[in-house]
Amino acid sequence: MILDTDSTKPIYVQIAEWLEAEILNGNLTADQKVYSQYQLADMYNINPATAAKGLNLLADENTLYKKRGLGMFVSQHAKELILTKRKNQTLKGLVKEMVLEAKRLHVDQAELMDMIKKELQEED
């Protein structure tokens, strides 16, 4: 992963999203130790506090858990938590924006649904 320093998205959020992607892709599995804040800081040439903030964000969401003196580990239900979060936040947000844009362009519901169905068929 390459951090986008020009993004409006904070670096610690990018770190958290990268770790989520690693979990979703199966590169990090339940009860596996994740990178420490110092390893992440070294990998991405960032402040360890920034890396810690990304790790703590995932810990606050119960995606990661802390073992005192050992570091952070992937929780048992991390993958399900991430999928649910992304579906409820990211995907719903995208759908809402798409519906608003369709209204601005005077695209009716049937036409919008046809566009979605066509796109889904092309992906198969």
Side-chain angles (χ1 to χ4, degrees):
M1 177 188 86
I2 298 172
L3 295 176
D4 184 359
T5 55
D6 294 329
S7 173
T8 58
K9 191 177 292 187
I11 291 174
Y12 75 93
V13 172
Q14 292 180 53
I15 294 289
E17 288 178 349
W18 173 71
L19 288 168
E20 286 179 340
E22 290 293 290
I23 293 167
L24 290 176
N25 292 334
N27 297 328
L28 292 171
T29 58
D31 297 317
Q32 184 176 352
K33 185 176 183 189
V34 299
Y35 303 99
S36 73
Q37 70 187 58
Y38 300 105
Q39 288 172 314
L40 289 168
D42 205 32
M43 287 167 59
Y44 295 109
N45 198 27
I46 59 173
N47 188 306
T50 301
K53 199 169 178 181
L55 290 167
N56 287 327
L57 181 64
L58 294 178
D60 292 345
E61 295 173 352
N62 297 315
T63 302
L64 301 179
Y65 65 92
K66 298 176 186 180
K67 281 189 182 178
R68 190 178 185 125
L70 296 176
M72 295 266 205
F73 294 79
V74 178
S75 73
Q76 284 290 321
H77 303 288
K79 197 169 191 172
E80 293 83 10
L81 289 169
I82 296 165
L83 290 171
T84 300
K85 179 180 93 169
R86 289 192 176 186
K87 189 186 316 178
N88 289 335
Q89 291 177 2
T90 307
L91 200 55
K92 280 187 180 180
L94 290 169
V95 169
K96 185 175 183 176
E97 185 58 39
M98 181 176 55
V99 168
L100 289 172
E101 183 67 10
K103 286 180 181 178
R104 285 190 286 266
L105 298 174
H106 305 286
V107 174
D108 66 22
Q109 183 177 352
E111 186 179 356
L112 181 60
M113 293 305 292
D114 286 341
M115 293 168 108
I116 292 169
K117 287 176 186 175
K118 183 178 179 183
E119 199 59 39
L120 286 169
Q121 289 170 351
E122 289 177 11
E123 289 296 317
D124 289 337

